[in-house]
Amino acid sequence: MKRHGLLNAPLNALIAELGHTDTLVIADAGLPIPTDVPRIDLAVTPGLPGFLPVLDALLEELCVESVTLANEITTHSPALNDDIQHRLAELEARDGHPVEASYVSHDTFKQSLHKAKAVIRTGECTPYANVALHSGVPF
């Protein structure tokens, strides 16, 4: 048994397989996931697990070069956007390199899901609680 970090075997395997610029998406419970994109469904009930705990667990394991969010998060869920930006600042301080955040329309975000290696579905029910994590390298 692992001593620390992620215990979810599919998540561990996915992270180990990611290469530079590969994309992993953390999604709320309602994001439509294309049928051709692998889904790791963690959702149990509305709110469980929440988006931020899943994000925190992945940020501990993954090298992140940049992230993409929907523009709509800034107006519909500004507190969540602030929480994400705070975590990105902590990640930059920890890893010593910038993490670029870009915003696109929600429709563009949904269209980009076809490029993701996988989508992790949470039980989050906060509007626009979705982020695309673009993998970096530790060197």
Side-chain angles (χ1 to χ4, degrees), residues 63-83:
C63 291
V64 178
E65 182 171 273
S66 63
V67 302
T68 304
L69 301 131
N71 286 324
E72 291 84 349
I73 194 173
T74 62
T75 54
H76 294 300
S77 300
L80 178 60
N81 185 58
D82 290 346
D83 287 338

Side-chain angles (χ1 to χ4, degrees), residues 41-99:
D41 198 337
L42 304 179
V44 177
T45 60
L48 186 64
F51 173 86
L52 289 174
V54 173
L55 177 62
D56 289 342
L58 289 169
L59 292 179
E60 284 296 316
E61 302 279 338
L62 183 62
C63 291
V64 178
E65 182 171 273
S66 63
V67 302
T68 304
L69 301 131
N71 286 324
E72 291 84 349
I73 194 173
T74 62
T75 54
H76 294 300
S77 300
L80 178 60
N81 185 58
D82 290 346
D83 287 338
I84 293 168
Q85 293 304 319
H86 177 75
R87 283 161 170 79
L88 296 179
E90 289 178 338
L91 188 62
E92 288 179 353
R94 183 192 78 192
D95 294 347
H97 62 78
V99 177

